């Protein structure tokens, strides 16, 4: 049956197919001598006779692509788009209707040599059709990119030219232009250069894309930049972008030179800026590293005038951020150096002393924060150092000189403030005699005591505390006797002034400086005891306490002659009232939600602070204790992101509380925080 069907097909259609094949063969053989339009029309006739004839589409695609390659891509845009579209469509149809057997039978139709095997002929022909279609699709994309980049190149060049003309016609001469120069002029001059750069960018793209197209005659698109020598005499002739060699006016060079001219036209601006900055460098070094009591007179420096001048010429310059920072840094430096070198208080670290210090550091911290934020603005503002390059070349060299300056200043500011915080933490420890333990005992010889100071045995001191220039305390033992010794320094020697043996010769476990001339000591023999001692070695009172728990803190009211004693551990605590006769006049128990870290009196209440560690950091809980009711009447929770280690609390005033702590992450880190009385942390900073 199959053979019969095949015979019938040959009988009816064979003669027609053979005739069509012969005519098509002849057309392809004669195409080199035939007019291209005639060849094209006859191909269309064959396409009408057999709409699924792959090779006729292949030949049409080649003709369309050849026509596209001979057009001017910029001038003949409509025809170019039509031809490349036709080529892409024809190659696509050739690919869709391609029969590999036809390629094997007629390899020359598909430009395939017949010197290889039939299988190879088929695969080569298929690849050739696919490659032709792929190329035509790419050419279509390249062509649109070519047009877009060419148009953008022309647009931006004309925009640069128009900006140049507008600036030239805005004044009769350069001096007149400078007299009314403002930020808008700098922006306009800069935009001329930016537009020119954009034009050259698109021209480069246009040239590169051109090389990818099949056009036989490509323009070289060589760019010849012509310098604008004078302000008004040239630079207004448009370029011919359709030439092989394109002459353009170099508006970028003109823009750069003109911006530089604007920059240096301010009389004395360079010297004024350099002088002011060098003054800052020298003064800042004295403040941070020196020991002189100096203050910078900010109003006399005229830094704001310099900022105004810089802003006039470039309101996007990072130099503005730098000088704004210099003002804030010197303000911080004034407060820092005053506290470090001027406000030296030779008094013991009492609660009032620590409170005054906390207020000073709060005020200093505000200036530190302002300087720190402006320091960050130098790098975060996005402002560049392209203008005023003379300043950066000389005073902040390097590709990112302003950023390096900002980073160094940030490190310096943090280090200086941290140094002061370390000193404050030392004072807190000194108030409780938590000074560093001496590595070796101080014998009579090592103490350099004046002969006769110790007649019986040697005194072994394991702690030493400076109270004033005329008195230091040593805590230790003489043989088996516990002693506090008051000595007067004479150069490297010491003269013993007095000595006190604690109650029943027990070891001292509590110490606190409570006044300029008094301090408290406490310990445990059979019971807990507390004594008040004067700086001259006089014992005012000794009280035996009712609770055996460790003494946590004592607040002394000199006017009322009463000491408030807090004892306890874990969460259980007691408050005792002790008069200056050594009598306990009242005791009350209460609980805290965490480990006790500090207390102070706020108006009519006692504020107790305890510490708990959470998975995310730490919590400081303020428990408000009403002495009249004898209970905790309120709590405030302060949540910290850092896990605190050995935190301390200082009352600043009626608005703020200071927290100082080490970080559990590193003993080299100090956490400084300002808290209000409503459970809020205004600042939490790690130094």
């Amino acid at each position: 049956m199959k053979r019969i069907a095949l015979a019938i097909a040959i009988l009816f259609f064979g003669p027609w197919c053979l005739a069509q094949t012969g005519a098509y063969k002849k057309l392809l053989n004669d195409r080199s001598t035939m007019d291209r339009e005639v060849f094209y029309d006859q191909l269309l006739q064959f396409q009408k006779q057999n709409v699924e004839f792959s090779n006729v589409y292949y030949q049409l695609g080649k003709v369309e692509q050849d026509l596209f390659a001979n057009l001017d891509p910029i001038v003949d845009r409509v025809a170019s788009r039509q031809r490349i579209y036709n080529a892409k469509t024809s190659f696509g149809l050739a690919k869709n209707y391609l029969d590999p057997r036809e390629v094997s039978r007629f390899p020359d139709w598909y430009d395939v040599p017949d010197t290889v095997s039939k299988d190879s002929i088929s695969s080569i022909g298929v690849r050739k059709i696919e490659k032709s279609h792929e190329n035509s699709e790419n050419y279509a994309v390249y062509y649109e990119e070519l047009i877009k980049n060419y148009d953008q190149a022309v647009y931006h060049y004309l925009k640069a030219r128009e900006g140049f003309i507008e600036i030239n016609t805005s004044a009769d001469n350069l001096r007149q232009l400078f007299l009314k120069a403002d930020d808008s002029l700098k922006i306009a001059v800069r935009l001329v250069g930016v537009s020119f750069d954009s034009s050259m960018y698109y021209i480069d793209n246009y040239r590169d894309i051109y090389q990818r197209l099949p056009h036989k005659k490509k323009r070289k698109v060589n760019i010849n930049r012509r310098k604008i020598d004078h302000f008004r005499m040239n630079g207004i002739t448009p370029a011919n972008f359709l030439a092989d060699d394109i002459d353009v006016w170099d508006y970028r060079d003109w823009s750069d030179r003109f911006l530089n001219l604007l920059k240096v036209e301010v009389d004395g601006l360079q010297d004024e800026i350099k002088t002011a900055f060098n003054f800052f460098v020298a003064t800042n070094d004295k403040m941070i590293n020196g020991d002189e009591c100096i203050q910078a007179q900010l109003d006399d420096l005229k830094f704001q005038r310099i900022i105004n001048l810089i802003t006039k010429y470039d309101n996007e310059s990072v130099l503005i951020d730098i000088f704004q920072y210099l003002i804030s840094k010197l303000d911080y430096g004034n407060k820092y150096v005053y506290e470090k070198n001027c406000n030296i208080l030779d008094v013991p670290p009492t609660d009032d002393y620590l409170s005054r210090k906390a207020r000073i550091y709060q005020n200093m911290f505000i200036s530190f924060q302002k300087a720190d934020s402006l320091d960050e603005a130098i790098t975060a503002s996005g402002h560049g150092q392209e203008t005023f390059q003379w300043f950066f070349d000389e005073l902040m060299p390097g590709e990112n000189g302003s950023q390096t300056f900002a980073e160094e200043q940030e490190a310096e500011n943090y280090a200086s403030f941290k140094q002061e915080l370390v000193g404050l933490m030392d004072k807190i420890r000194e108030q409780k005699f938590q000074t560093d333990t001496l590595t070796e005992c101080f014998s009579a010889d090592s103490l350099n005591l004046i002969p006769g100071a110790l007649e019986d045995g040697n005194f072994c001191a394991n702690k030493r505390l400076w109270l004033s220039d005329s008195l230091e305390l040593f805590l230790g033992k003489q043989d088996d006797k516990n002693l506090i010794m008051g000595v007067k320094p004479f150069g490297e020697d010491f003269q013993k002034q007095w000595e006190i043996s604690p109650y029943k010769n027990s070891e001292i476990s509590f110490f606190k400086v409570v006044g300029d001339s008094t301090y408290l000591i406490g310990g445990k023999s059979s019971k807990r005891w507390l004594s008040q001692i004067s700086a001259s070695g006089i014992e005012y009172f000794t009280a035996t306490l009712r609770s055996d728990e460790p003494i946590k803190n004592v607040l002394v009211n000199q006017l009322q002659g009463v000491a408030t004693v807090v004892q306890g551990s874990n969460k259980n605590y007691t408050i005792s009232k002790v008069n200056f006769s050594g009598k306990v006049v009242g005791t009350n128990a209460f609980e805290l939600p965490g480990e006790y870290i500090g207390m102070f009196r706020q108006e009519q209440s006692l504020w107790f602070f305890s510490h708990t560690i959470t998975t995310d950091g730490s919590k400081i809980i303020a428990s408000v204790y009403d002495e009249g009711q004898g209970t905790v009447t309120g709590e405030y929770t302060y949540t910290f992101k850092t896990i605190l280690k050995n935190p301390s609390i200082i009352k600043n005033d009626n608005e703020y509380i200071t927290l100082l702590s080490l970080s559990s992450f590193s003993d080299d880190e100090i956490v400084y925080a300002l808290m209000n009385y409503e459970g809020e942390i205004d600042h939490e900073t790690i130094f």
Side-chain angles (χ1 to χ4, degrees), residues 643-685:
I643 298 178
L644 306 176
K645 180 180 178 181
N646 300 328
S648 299
I649 291 290
I650 306 174
K651 176 183 177 180
N652 295 23
D653 47 33
N654 291 332
E655 294 184 8
Y656 285 100
I657 306 161
T658 290
L659 177 135
L660 271 178
S661 175
L662 297 176
S663 166
S664 290
F665 178 75
S666 171
D667 284 346
D668 191 46
E669 292 182 346
I670 296 178
V671 181
Y672 174 80
L674 291 173
M675 311 183 300
N676 61 23
Y677 285 84
E678 298 177 355
E680 298 172 335
I681 303 172
D682 280 10
H683 304 285
E684 177 186 352
T685 308

Side-chain angles (χ1 to χ4, degrees), residues 43-171:
L43 285 173
L44 291 177
Q45 293 301 318
F46 278 101
Q47 184 264 341
K48 291 178 181 178
Q49 294 175 27
N50 184 357
V51 294
E52 296 183 2
F53 189 7
S54 172
N55 190 260
V56 76
Y57 291 117
Y58 175 64
Q59 300 298 334
L60 285 170
K62 290 202 299 181
V63 173
E64 293 287 1
Q65 187 166 292
D66 187 59
L67 291 171
F68 168 73
N70 283 281
L71 292 171
D72 187 305
I74 303 302
V75 177
D76 301 320
R77 298 190 184 194
V78 174
S80 293
R81 283 194 173 98
Q82 186 62 54
R83 293 302 181 187
I84 194 59
Y85 172 79
N86 292 346
K88 181 173 66 172
T89 302
S90 296
F91 285 132
L93 291 170
K95 177 181 175 182
N96 290 340
Y97 296 131
L98 181 63
D99 184 348
R101 293 173 299 177
E102 186 178 81
V103 179
S104 298
R105 291 178 58 200
F106 306 106
D108 56 320
W109 292 6
Y110 293 91
D111 303 321
V112 178
D114 59 358
T115 58
V116 295
S117 65
K118 287 189 175 183
D119 291 339
S120 298
I121 290 174
S122 297
S123 61
I124 293 173
V126 170
R127 287 199 300 271
K128 185 175 285 290
I129 294 293
E130 291 174 344
K131 185 63 177 177
S132 297
H133 180 245
E134 180 184 346
N135 288 342
S136 64
E137 287 185 322
N138 290 337
Y139 293 153
V141 173
Y142 294 156
Y143 181 72
E144 294 304 323
E145 291 181 357
L146 182 83
I147 294 298
K148 180 182 71 174
N149 280 277
Y150 176 84
D151 289 346
Q152 286 293 316
V154 174
Y155 167 78
H156 285 286
Y157 186 81
L158 293 178
K159 188 177 179 181
R161 174 179 175 269
E162 290 167 4
F164 173 82
I165 294 173
E166 184 176 351
I167 293 169
N168 269 268
T169 56
S170 64

Side-chain angles (χ1 to χ4, degrees), residues 583-602:
K583 182 179 179 180
V584 178
V585 295
T587 301
N588 192 39
F590 69 102
E591 291 186 358
L592 292 178
E595 185 68 27
Y596 170 91
I597 62 169
M599 64 177 288
F600 56 72
R601 187 177 297 280
Q602 171 62 10

